[in-house]
Every structure is written in structure tokens, then in C-alpha cells.
Amino acid sequence: MTPEKSYEELVRISRETTLLASCHQLLQWDAEICMPRAGVQHRGEQMALIAGLAHDRATDPRLGDLLGTVEGSSLVADPESVEAVNVRERRRDYDRETKLPRRLVEELARVSAMSSQAWSEARDHDDFASFAPWLEKTFELAREKADAYGYTSARYDALLDEYEPGMTTAQLTDLFTGLRAQLVPLVDSLRDSSSESKSEASAGEFPLDRQRKFSEGVAVKLGFDIEGGRFDLGPHPFCTFLGPGDVRIALRYHTDNFSSGFLAVLHEMGHALYEQGLDPAHYGTPMGEAVSLGIHESQSRMWENLVGRSEGFWRHFYPQLQSAFREPLMNVSVDAFRREMNVVRPGLIRVEADEVTYNLHVIIRFELERALLDGDLRAADLPGAWAELYRKYLGLTPANDRLGSLQDIHWSEGLIGYFPTYTLGNVYAAQLFATADREIGPLEEKFAAGEFSPLREWLREKIHCHGKRYRATQLIERTTGKSLDPSALIANLSHRYAPA
């Protein structure tokens, strides 16, 4: 078979495998949103079967033969061409997948379904002890997975590479050490100036139906294609891409906390805009996939924080918000509302954290999951270790496990190595936003005028359209002129939050 025909067959198999994976994602979405609890065991078997079938296709020796035929041919002479990118990334996927036995892949999917349900019930009843055995099993499988992949330095590298290709534990440790050294004193300096009681801007009741109407309406105005997506309610905010024309966002709202639900909408919408910005003609191939979770998080954190907390944004949208919530906001100025939305108030919940403290939540999880993965921390001892780090970095102690080690769904789903991408996303976002402001700004003025498409289209041109053409750090350097650099993030936070 010629390299050209081999490449065509490679793309066909890649697209079919992606379609099969999307069925697995649909089952997972359904499990979190509307599946009856009694169906969890059956759903686990369904997901295990599909994961096994997808693994069979992804490790078919014929795929290796096709890759071998195309590699070294003139089709991939230009390393940045569509063909070269697709072959390079499918080779990477093939080499990784062939290291995992089907038994392990199926067990990971089965345990994930059961563990997620156990986490949900444990969280509802504040019962960590019932979840601990599942957590122990999850990390046991994660160790087996990491060892199957192999690693040179840290076991954690093998799992991190799944979400942020090319990134290492050593690089993260250096980045987080530097950030922690600057963030902890900044948080301490702001602690006394942040009132623990509710201000007038956040007091009162915000009916859930009106929150949904306003928040989802804003997402559409910012560019979310409602014809190609949908909003649902769930226990944990998330965004799922099922394929071209089908991006789903799950959200949760609180009647006494408007900002929490609204900022979650902007966060998940940022993910959705990335997925909707990918070229559908490349669906099922690496050129139609997001480059990394860190870059994905840069999009969500940018729309959530750098856009959604900005003065220009609220100069435009606040009159509409006041109209939707006359009772609690009638006598609240836009400046007072923004001050409350941007207040630094150390708390226990990561998804409700302000910008300054957020990365400390991520650093805590990074340290804990490394200890769990290496066997230095037992699952049963997680609540105590969790409380110790929260006292150390944020000066807080969770009153119960629901507010502590049971608040995130990630570990129950086997997403080990995922958490660091949130902070990487913050660093990338700050670099990208500063560059966009120079090239197409001032962005604040555009936001105040209701112009959000310039930023959205700039991101599509600079980030979305490239798929996996570049590694995350290459893409950032190509776009901003700098490699991974936290200085833009620290400068942004210091400018906006540091006491005068």
C-alpha cells in the first residue's frame, strides 16, 4: 500500500476510534446528569466494554503498520503539515496505548463508574470512610497504569503526560514552588482587608431560574453556539465535547451566591468555545483536537477571570443583571458589585475560590495526589493530610470532609495528574491575555462596548485552529514570544489585588 493510501486508511481508523470514544463520553455525561443510581453497575459494564473495544482499535497491529508506511515518506516531510501532525500524534497515542493491557483499560473504566457513584453518595452524606476503599483502588490502578507507560524520573510524569504532553513533575514543582512563595504572603496581606461577612452586593436571594436565564444568555452573547450545545444541571460543573455540533455544559447554581454559578458558566463556556473553535473538518484526527488540558484551562480561566471579573465586562452587563435581580441589586452600584466579585476571601472550596487563592488549592492537590500515587499517603489518611495543608497554605481547616477531601470528583474518575493543568491554564491565560491586549486591545474598552468577538476570534486564530500542531509550550512561545512564564500572572494579580 502506498503512503498516500496508508494515510487515508489511518485517518479513517482514527475517526472511527474517536466516534467510539465519544459514545463512552456520552455514557459518562448521562451517568453524571440523569442516570438513576441503581444503574451504576450496569453502566460500569457498558463503559468497560466500550473502553475495551476502543483500546482494541487503538492498539491494532495494522495501525502500527500503517504508521510505519507513512513515517519517513514525503507526506510528512513538513513537520507542521496536517499529515505530519496527525501521524506524529497517532504514533504517540499508539505507542502509549500498546503498553496498556486491555484488562487494565476495562478495569479502569469499570472502577471509574463505580467510584464516581460512591464519591457522589459519600459527598452527599459526608462519609469519607465509605469512599476511601474506592480511592485506594483508583490509585492502585493509577500506579499500575503509570508503571505500564513507564517513566524516567517520577511515576507522576507518566500520568501527567496524558494531560499535558511534555510537561514533567520537576518543571511543575519548580513552577509551584515559586508561585507558592509569592501567593501565600499576598493572601496573608489581604486577609484582614477582606470582610468575612456578606456585603450588600452579595446579600439577598437570587432565584435559580433567573440565574440560569441570565447566565446562559450571557454565554450565548459571548459566542457560545446554542445550536451546537446545551446546558444542564449537575452536581459538579463540567463541559463535555461529544463531537461537532454537540458540546454540553453541566452547571450548578446557589440562591445565595450568584457569583459562584455565574463564573462557573463562563469557565465552562471557555472550554466550549475552544471545542466549537476547532475545525470540524479535522474531527477524529489530532488536528481537530485540543493541544493539552493546560491550554484548554487557559481558555476557561481567561473567560472566567480576565474577562468575567473585569470592569469593562460589568460596565456592559451590569444594567441587565440589575434588571434581572431588582430586589438584591437595586441599590448596589456596579463598582460595589465588582469589588465583591473580586474580593480575596480564603475559602475551602476550589471551584468557588478567588483568583489569588485558587492556585494554592491546586498546589495542595498536586502534593496530595503525588503522595497517594507514590504510596506515601494512604487513602484512609487523606482527610488529615488535606486539613494539614489547608492550615499551612490558607490558614483554614475544613469542618467536615464534604468541605474537604470529598469536594472534587476528579480522583474518583481516575483523573490523576489533571489538577496541575488548572494552574498551568492560569499561567498560559495571563500570557495570552496580555498579548491579545497589546495586539487587538485595549480589551477593557471593547468589553465595555459589548465587543467580545475580537478576543474570541483572536483565540481561534492563534490557538484553536492549530489543533495539536504544536506542544503547549511551543504554542505559547509562538503566540506570546515567551516560554512558560508566571510573571504575567503574578503581575496581573499584584496590580489588581495587592494592597496599596
Side-chain angles (χ1 to χ4, degrees):
M1 187 181 293
T2 66
E4 290 76 15
K5 289 293 184 182
S6 294
Y7 179 75
E8 290 178 9
E9 181 67 3
L10 188 67
V11 169
R12 185 189 68 78
I13 294 173
S14 177
R15 286 179 169 154
E16 286 188 354
T17 304
T18 303
L19 281 172
L20 192 58
S22 74
C23 296
H24 187 278
Q25 292 164 337
L26 178 59
L27 287 175
Q28 191 167 26
W29 172 87
D30 176 80
E32 294 194 32
I33 300 302
C34 55
M35 184 190 75
R37 289 193 170 190
V40 63
Q41 186 167 351
H42 179 63
R43 179 56 47 86
E45 296 301 322
Q46 290 175 314
M47 293 174 72
L49 176 61
I50 290 182
L53 292 172
H55 179 69
D56 286 346
R57 295 184 65 82
T59 59
D60 188 337
R62 184 162 173 265
L63 191 59
D65 293 338
L66 293 170
L67 286 166
T69 300
V70 179
E71 290 167 334
S73 74
S74 59
L75 275 178
V76 296
D78 177 1
E80 294 186 4
S81 69
V82 170
E83 294 81 4
V85 172
N86 286 337
V87 170
R88 181 194 73 212
E89 292 301 311
R90 282 298 173 254
R91 165 59 73 182
R92 177 182 184 276
D93 294 341
Y94 179 77
D95 288 347
R96 283 175 64 85
E97 283 294 317
T98 52
K99 294 177 180 177
L100 301 180
R102 176 170 177 164
R103 170 201 58 77
L104 176 59
V105 172
E106 290 181 332
E107 185 67 3
L108 284 163
R110 185 179 295 109
V111 169
S112 172
M114 302 290 286
S115 178
S116 296
Q117 186 66 39
W119 166 82
S120 181
E121 293 177 359
R123 182 175 177 273
D124 287 345
H125 298 98
D126 187 25
D127 180 18
F128 180 84
S130 67
F131 175 62
W134 287 105
L135 187 63
E136 192 69 53
K137 179 64 174 177
T138 296
F139 273 91
E140 176 186 321
L141 291 173
R143 283 190 287 274
E144 186 177 352
K145 183 179 182 182
D147 291 346
Y149 281 146
Y151 52 90
T152 302
S153 180
R155 177 182 271 155
Y156 192 81
D157 285 347
L159 302 182
L160 175 64
D161 196 59
E162 189 169 356
Y163 307 109
E164 199 67 15
M167 186 60 62
T168 68
T169 307
Q171 288 174 299
L172 281 180
T173 300
D174 288 344
L175 174 66
F176 289 174
T177 299
L179 281 175
R180 186 175 63 234
Q182 296 180 79
L183 290 174
V184 170
L186 179 58
V187 171
D188 288 341
S189 71
L190 297 171
R191 193 182 301 274
D192 293 338
S193 62
S194 299
S195 172
E196 293 299 324
S197 61
K198 280 193 173 184
S199 72
E200 185 182 14
S202 61
E205 183 172 322
F206 295 82
L208 299 184
D209 57 339
R210 277 187 271 167
Q211 283 194 60
R212 289 194 67 179
K213 182 178 180 180
F214 175 81
S215 300
E216 294 170 14
V218 168
V220 172
K221 290 177 183 176
L222 296 183
F224 177 72
D225 179 11
I226 194 63
E227 295 299 317
R230 58 177 287 138
F231 298 98
D232 291 280
L233 297 179
H236 189 89
F238 69 95
C239 175
T240 295
F241 175 60
L242 298 177
D246 194 352
V247 180
R248 306 190 183 194
I249 293 177
L251 302 161
R252 66 182 180 197
Y253 298 94
H254 308 280
T255 57
D256 61 347
N257 188 341
F258 168 80
S259 294
S260 175
F262 181 73
L263 291 172
V265 171
L266 296 188
H267 181 97
E268 302 307 336
M269 181 214 69
H271 284 305
L273 289 183
Y274 191 177
E275 296 292 351
Q276 292 182 336
L278 296 170
D279 188 344
H282 290 302
Y283 174 71
T285 71
M287 278 297 297
E289 297 169 357
V291 59
S292 76
L293 276 180
I295 295 296
H296 228 309
E297 286 301 327
S298 77
Q299 306 303 284
S300 59
R301 298 296 288 177
M302 184 184 300
W303 286 99
E304 174 190 358
N305 293 323
L306 301 177
V307 179
R309 296 180 190 266
S310 70
E311 179 180 356
F313 181 93
W314 287 110
R315 291 291 175 196
H316 177 71
F317 280 114
Y318 192 65
Q320 300 171 43
L321 183 69
Q322 264 188 322
S323 178
F325 299 99
R326 292 185 180 276
E327 300 87 349
L329 298 178
M330 184 181 303
N331 299 314
V332 178
S333 70
V334 62
D335 291 331
F337 177 81
R338 275 200 66 245
R339 280 196 300 272
E340 173 61 25
M341 176 166 276
N342 288 280
V343 72
V344 177
R345 184 178 293 132
L348 294 164
I349 307 299
R350 175 186 61 84
V351 297
E352 297 175 4
D354 57 79
E355 286 182 271
V356 179
T357 62
Y358 184 89
N359 294 304
L360 295 174
H361 291 264
V362 175
I363 291 170
I364 288 170
R365 286 154 177 77
F366 170 66
E367 294 184 12
L368 290 171
E369 67 180 5
R370 282 190 64 196
L372 286 163
L373 184 67
D374 291 338
D376 297 331
L377 175 66
R378 295 173 57 248
D381 298 328
L382 177 63
W386 185 287
E388 180 181 350
L389 288 181
Y390 265 82
R391 283 194 299 271
K392 181 178 178 182
Y393 296 155
L394 287 162
L396 302 170
T397 303
N400 53 56
D401 293 329
R402 195 173 191 276
L403 297 175
S405 53
L406 283 174
Q407 67 178 268
D408 297 302
I409 194 173
H410 301 61
W411 289 339
S412 71
E413 293 183 331
L415 303 179
I416 319 301
Y418 189 117
F419 278 118
T421 65
Y422 289 118
T423 289
L424 286 171
N426 283 332
V427 175
Y428 294 149
Q431 291 185 246
L432 291 170
F433 193 81
T435 303
D437 193 62
R438 288 194 303 270
E439 294 185 359
I440 61 172
L443 291 174
E444 284 277 7
E445 294 180 7
K446 294 184 185 299
F447 299 162
E451 299 175 7
F452 299 95
S453 60
L455 176 61
R456 185 182 69 245
E457 295 308 311
W458 186 87
L459 290 169
R460 285 184 173 172
E461 176 190 348
K462 301 293 185 178
I463 304 297
H464 305 172
C465 74
H466 292 297
K468 287 188 172 181
R469 178 174 277 126
Y470 308 106
R471 287 284 181 261
T473 52
Q474 291 176 311
L475 184 60
I476 290 298
E477 186 164 5
R478 178 186 176 89
T479 304
T480 71
K482 292 184 177 181
S483 57
L484 176 65
D485 182 3
S487 61
L489 174 63
I490 294 299
N492 183 286
L493 294 176
S494 298
H495 172 72
R496 293 164 55 206
Y497 293 101

